[in-house]
Amino acid sequence: ASGLLIGSEGAAMTSALELSAPVRIVGSPAISRKYSLALKSHGIDSQCISGQQAAGRGLLRIARAAGLIGSQ
């Protein structure tokens, strides 16, 4: 069932957006790969990013912007 949903979302994205850069997919590696394959079948390039890695980097940037930690 999830494969049908992912394929449907990929088709909707293809018709709704005009993409000039790869789509960034943030999430678990297993699900991200499925989305990447679905998008590729519609001619859309993508880049998979670990959800944990993205969250950690985002929190670090917020802490730096708030002056809670140094900028190293």
Side-chain angles (χ1 to χ4, degrees), residues 18 22-23 30-31 39 46 66 71:
E18 195 171 308
V23 171
I31 295 293
L39 292 173
S46 63
S71 60

Side-chain angles (χ1 to χ4, degrees), residues 4-65:
L4 291 174
L5 178 61
I6 291 171
S8 174
E9 289 174 339
M13 183 183 295
T14 302
S15 63
L17 301 174
E18 195 171 308
L19 302 170
S20 59
V23 171
R24 291 189 177 116
I25 303 167
V26 179
S28 72
I31 295 293
S32 294
R33 276 192 298 275
K34 291 177 183 177
Y35 273 95
S36 182
L37 289 171
L39 292 173
K40 189 173 187 80
S41 74
H42 291 282
I44 299 172
D45 291 326
S46 63
Q47 174 187 11
C48 296
I49 301 168
S50 160
Q52 285 184 324
Q53 207 173 43
R57 288 180 181 174
L59 291 170
L60 184 60
R61 290 183 82 171
I62 290 168
R64 284 184 179 148

